[in-house]
Amino acid sequence: MKRAGRQFVEPIREKEKINLMKQYLAEQSYRNYFIFVFGINTGLYLTDILALRVRDVRNKDYIKVDENGSGRIRTIVFSNGLKKEISKYTDYKNEEQLLFPSRKGNKPIGRQTIWRFINDAAKASGVIGNIGAHTMRKTYGFHLYERTQDAVSLQMEFGHKYPSDSLRYIGIEEKTIIKMTRKLTAQI
């Protein structure tokens, strides 16, 4: 399936596959592992992740992000596990440094590089489907919904117009969306 000239990517649904990808990435590069962990734990757009500096995340419980430059401010709360990973990753880094710098200077790592290592990790871990950098955001949303079963919170988190848009976005099947919509409208 294609959308707006780009391939539609899916979330990673199985926690075992996520753990296999984390293990694979940790063996390849701690930076790549951390990008993946940060992405699936925050649900931020890749452009927002790449704009972060060490000072933005070090010793923080949460951050506020103007999501994708839209003017919509989203508060991202860091779990204790993510705070430990942030501390480990930023331990010897300069406060002003980009969180994910490229080797070419004061620019962030390239989107294509991230796509490549996420796809390599997915293949090595047996993840089937269309996988890309945006998979991190969708994985975050899918597992948030799995834990809460709250489509409205997911809608608010992602800034979608309708809860059904959010469910479709994370790959929930149409019949589940129809059932949820009927349940919501029956209460009105």
Side-chain angles (χ1 to χ4, degrees), residues 109-173:
I109 185 174
R111 295 177 62 89
Q112 200 63 20
T113 301
I114 295 170
W115 179 88
R116 191 176 313 109
F117 75 68
I118 286 177
N119 267 275
D120 289 348
K123 286 176 188 160
S125 304
V127 175
I128 309 291
N130 296 320
I131 304 298
H134 204 60
T135 291
M136 296 184 294
R137 180 172 166 85
K138 291 186 176 195
T139 298
Y140 167 84
F142 180 85
H143 289 280
L144 176 65
Y145 179 72
E146 285 287 300
R147 281 192 306 275
T148 64
Q149 295 294 301
D150 185 352
V152 175
S153 292
L154 185 64
Q155 169 201 1
M156 292 171 64
E157 185 81 5
F158 283 149
H160 292 150
K161 191 169 184 177
Y162 301 106
S164 58
D165 294 340
S166 298
L167 292 175
R168 200 171 295 107
Y169 178 75
I170 62 168
I172 302 295
E173 293 180 4

Side-chain angles (χ1 to χ4, degrees), residues 7-24:
Q7 185 172 348
F8 176 74
V9 298
E10 300 173 54
I12 303 165
R13 293 171 177 84
E14 298 99 4
K15 289 185 181 179
E16 309 82 53
K17 300 286 184 180
I18 291 171
N19 289 332
L20 286 170
M21 284 185 65
K22 286 165 56 175
Q23 181 181 345
Y24 175 86

